[in-house]
Amino acid sequence: MTSADFARNLGTRSSGALDENVTDQGAAMPLHEGRTYVVTGADGGIGASVAGTLEDHGARVIRCGQGPEIDVRADLADDPGRDQLVQEVGRRAPGGIDGLVLVTGPVTASERTVHEDYFGSLAVLAGLRVVLRRKRSPRVVLVTSASSLTAGDGDVISACLRGDEELAGAAAEVAVASGRGGELSRSAAIALNRWVRQSATAEEWAGTGVVVNVVAPGLVETDTARDVMLADQDQLNVLRTALPQPLGLPGPIRAVADAISWMVSEQNSFMAGQIVFVDGGADAALRSDRPYVDGAHYSPMAMARMMFWSLRAKARPLLRAGGPRGRTGS
């Protein structure tokens, strides 16, 4: 599936192909022509695939990670590494960046995962907000995981959402010591998903034009997946039950990269705070229609506001009819 197909499936297709922009002279130009992106985790897997896809569509990409073929080498598990990345990006792109793709690290059973994936990603996002806002159409995609569909460690998630890195690290150490280290990657993913749902529509993000969304991939064909998750048949059988992917397991990495490519593009102009599962159908297979059974719940204050404006709208014709033009007895 190309980025054009993904956008078309979302019902956002406009005139002309969506993987191209059309100039005033009618000439086609690549989707990301003239745009600058930062991609973390770009030294392998989904991050490398996303960086390559963006470049194929005309973008300038600042690749960040810890491998050899990257532009900015930084460890996001601690403050010095996070600060280093933010400062180096500012030096390389003084005019600002058009987009940021934050790819979480590979699945590990270490407390480091929480520091790197959750706190590292959000520290970089906060640090680069100023350079994002220098551009006209800034976009952010956090790449988490469809494993977030299952339960994580409640103590870790709670500490993350409170912004308490020390407490989250301590809770992660307890999980590792008790043999539950395997829950940490998805716990960080759950916390990131929830942070985006809570924060993406706030004034500092959507309110200032910075569009923030999540892509949560299923299990796709990467070196880590082959070496860690797919090598053992019994483990593979567990995965087929825990994360059923009707469209195939593992899935194609290109499908994830294409989805991210569109979501971080200027054409994604009206979607914020969404968790998009590019997971071969796992979300639907596991949750069916349950997320949509109850509908939205409004606070008493919101209900009072809606009732006030509704009554005012209904009363307006009556007030007009009673005005000077509507009176017949005077």
Side-chain angles (χ1 to χ4, degrees):
M1 182 176 68
T2 67
S3 55
D5 293 330
F6 179 76
R8 189 179 302 114
N9 290 340
L10 289 177
T12 59
R13 193 177 193 275
S14 58
S15 60
L18 272 183
D19 58 350
E20 295 178 335
N21 294 322
V22 180
T23 67
D24 293 339
Q25 292 75 30
M29 59 185 292
L31 177 64
H32 299 293
E33 185 73 32
R35 287 173 68 82
T36 297
Y37 295 99
V38 171
V39 179
T40 67
D43 41 2
I46 291 174
S49 182
V50 170
T53 299
L54 293 173
E55 289 171 337
D56 289 344
H57 286 281
R60 174 199 175 199
V61 178
I62 301 173
R63 296 173 179 241
C64 305
Q66 299 185 66
E69 297 181 4
I70 47 92
D71 302 306
V72 178
R73 184 171 287 103
D75 183 353
L76 302 188
D78 55 37
D79 286 334
R82 301 163 189 170
D83 293 342
Q84 178 184 347
L85 187 150
V86 170
Q87 292 168 9
E88 183 62 18
V89 167
R91 186 185 70 80
R92 289 171 177 261
I97 60 174
D98 298 279
L100 172 62
V101 182
L102 293 160
V103 184
T104 55
V107 175
T108 67
S110 166
E111 61 269 18
R112 174 188 172 84
T113 297
V114 174
H115 296 289
E116 182 175 7
D117 287 2
Y118 184 83
F119 291 98
S121 294
L122 293 188
V124 169
L125 176 56
L128 294 179
R129 184 172 61 208
V130 172
V131 290
L132 281 163
R133 291 176 61 183
R134 290 175 188 158
K135 292 291 190 171
R136 184 169 62 89
S137 303
R139 307 285 183 259
V140 177
V141 173
L142 290 91
V143 184
T144 61
S145 170
S147 66
S148 59
L149 291 166
T150 57
D153 186 292
D155 292 336
V156 171
I157 295 168
S158 178
C160 285
L161 291 173
R162 289 203 299 269
D164 191 332
E165 184 167 6
E166 183 177 355
L167 183 60
E173 290 178 2
V174 171
V176 171
S178 60
R180 295 181 291 105
E183 298 179 9
L184 295 180
S185 289
R186 66 174 179 266
S187 297
I190 292 167
L192 282 172
N193 289 355
R194 290 180 59 182
W195 182 90
V196 169
R197 293 294 291 179
Q198 294 172 6
S199 306
T201 58
E203 178 63 26
E204 62 185 330
W205 299 111
T208 56
V210 181
V211 176
V212 181
N213 291 287
V214 168
V215 166
L219 184 61
V220 295
E221 186 71 25
T222 64
D223 291 340
T224 299
R226 284 192 296 269
D227 296 341
V228 178
M229 302 178 183
L230 304 176
D232 183 87
Q233 185 60 47
D234 290 334
Q235 178 67 20
L236 184 57
N237 289 334
V238 171
L239 288 170
R240 286 184 174 134
T241 301
L243 197 68
Q245 297 183 180
L247 294 182
L249 191 157
I253 193 171
R254 179 61 187 267
V256 176
D258 284 341
I260 295 168
S261 174
W262 181 81
M263 287 178 67
V264 81
S265 75
E266 187 174 11
Q267 293 180 352
N268 175 23
S269 60
F270 203 59
M271 182 170 72
Q274 297 303 303
I275 315 298
V276 179
F277 287 91
V278 185
D279 62 359
D283 179 24
L286 289 172
R287 300 196 298 173
S288 186
D289 64 343
R290 288 196 298 276
Y292 308 99
V293 170
D294 294 333
H297 295 278
Y298 298 101
S299 68
M301 181 63 71
M303 291 295 295
R305 289 196 191 101
M306 288 189 288
M307 185 174 294
F308 169 78
W309 290 112
S310 178
L311 291 173
R312 179 165 171 162
K314 292 178 180 178
R316 186 174 294 112
L318 299 176
L319 294 173
R320 287 173 178 167
R325 293 177 180 271
R327 293 174 186 162
T328 59
S330 58

